[in-house]
Amino acid sequence: MLLRRIQPALRITLVVWLLTAVIYPLMLWGMGQLIFPAQANGSLLTDAQGTVIGSSLIGQPFQSDRYFWGRPSAIAYATDPADRQTGRSGNQHLGPTNPLLRDRIAAAAQQWQATGLSEISSDLLYSSASGLDPHISLAAAQAQIPRVAAARQRSPEAIATLLDCYRDRPVLGIIGGTGINVLQLNRALDRNDPAEGQTCPNR
């Protein structure tokens, strides 16, 4: 009698589990692979040899003058060996009166001033909430053109053209900003895009 009473509940539980834990996830995975394969697999970026160098969704630390530099990251963009498998995100969440925040901003400002920047935009001094944001503002990227052009022995005009090629544009003219994805931009620099006199490369 007891078994007969619990059989309907067991059947319902099994059906709901199959729908929500098996069929629904498989359906979403299949749709993602079919319609948005790049995004579904992490928006990965590769070099000329096909080696994965990162994701367009996550920034990386750059220190060479040959590259554009991104925002400060309290977690170094999760590049610590302990973070590479699982990753982590977050910020130090220091308040405006915290002396640690003041010291960190002062150190970042001093580093940027050493590169020749006199006016430093706020996104080059403050980290994002996640510590992983790959974007900087257009003004922050434009301010770095002379340094990158000199290090790569390319004309500032060619670097400025590349900047315009990789500038995010608002969807429908109103949704989103006009930032620059630093990782994508530096990847294009290593490909020598665009060559002198060429228009925007195929992204």
Side-chain angles (χ1 to χ4, degrees):
M1 182 67 69
L2 180 61
L3 182 60
R4 190 177 299 173
R5 288 182 177 180
I6 66 174
Q7 278 181 343
L10 291 175
R11 284 196 295 266
I12 291 173
T13 301
L14 179 61
V15 169
V16 171
W17 177 79
L18 286 173
L19 286 173
T20 59
V22 180
I23 297 175
Y24 180 67
L26 284 176
M27 182 179 66
L28 289 184
W29 176 82
M31 290 176 61
Q33 295 296 325
L34 182 65
I35 303 174
F36 304 108
Q39 293 86 340
N41 290 292
S43 301
L44 300 179
L45 300 175
T46 58
D47 59 17
Q49 289 72 41
T51 304
V52 174
I53 60 172
S55 168
S56 63
L57 304 176
I58 300 176
Q60 293 183 15
F62 291 95
Q63 278 132 22
S64 169
D65 284 337
R66 291 173 52 82
Y67 295 106
F68 285 87
W69 299 350
R71 302 181 67 167
S73 173
I75 56 172
Y77 293 102
T79 53
D80 187 273
D83 300 323
R84 288 177 183 169
Q85 295 301 319
T86 59
R88 68 186 176 113
S89 65
N91 205 333
Q92 293 176 324
H93 301 295
L94 302 176
T97 60
N98 194 313
L100 293 177
L101 178 63
R102 181 191 61 220
D103 294 343
R104 190 178 76 188
I105 293 174
Q110 187 175 16
Q111 182 183 21
W112 282 110
Q113 287 169 349
T115 69
L117 262 67
S118 56
E119 295 185 10
I120 309 169
S121 58
S122 60
D123 56 321
L124 295 179
L125 298 176
Y126 295 93
S127 58
S128 64
S130 68
L132 302 176
D133 189 356
H135 292 83
I136 58 175
S137 65
L138 182 60
Q142 289 173 332
Q144 300 184 58
I145 289 178
R147 172 178 57 81
V148 176
R152 290 185 175 264
Q153 298 183 340
R154 297 183 64 183
S155 69
E157 292 76 18
I159 303 296
T161 298
L162 184 65
L163 224 61
D164 188 62
C165 292
Y166 283 84
R167 176 168 56 92
D168 290 341
R169 288 167 172 77
V171 179
L172 302 177
I174 55 173
I175 303 174
T178 57
I180 301 287
N181 188 302
V182 177
L183 181 56
Q184 287 184 329
L185 179 62
N186 287 335
R187 173 172 167 254
L189 279 171
D190 282 342
R191 291 197 311 244
N192 201 35
D193 289 337
E196 298 291 340
Q198 289 185 351
T199 55
C200 292
N202 184 4
R203 295 174 60 177

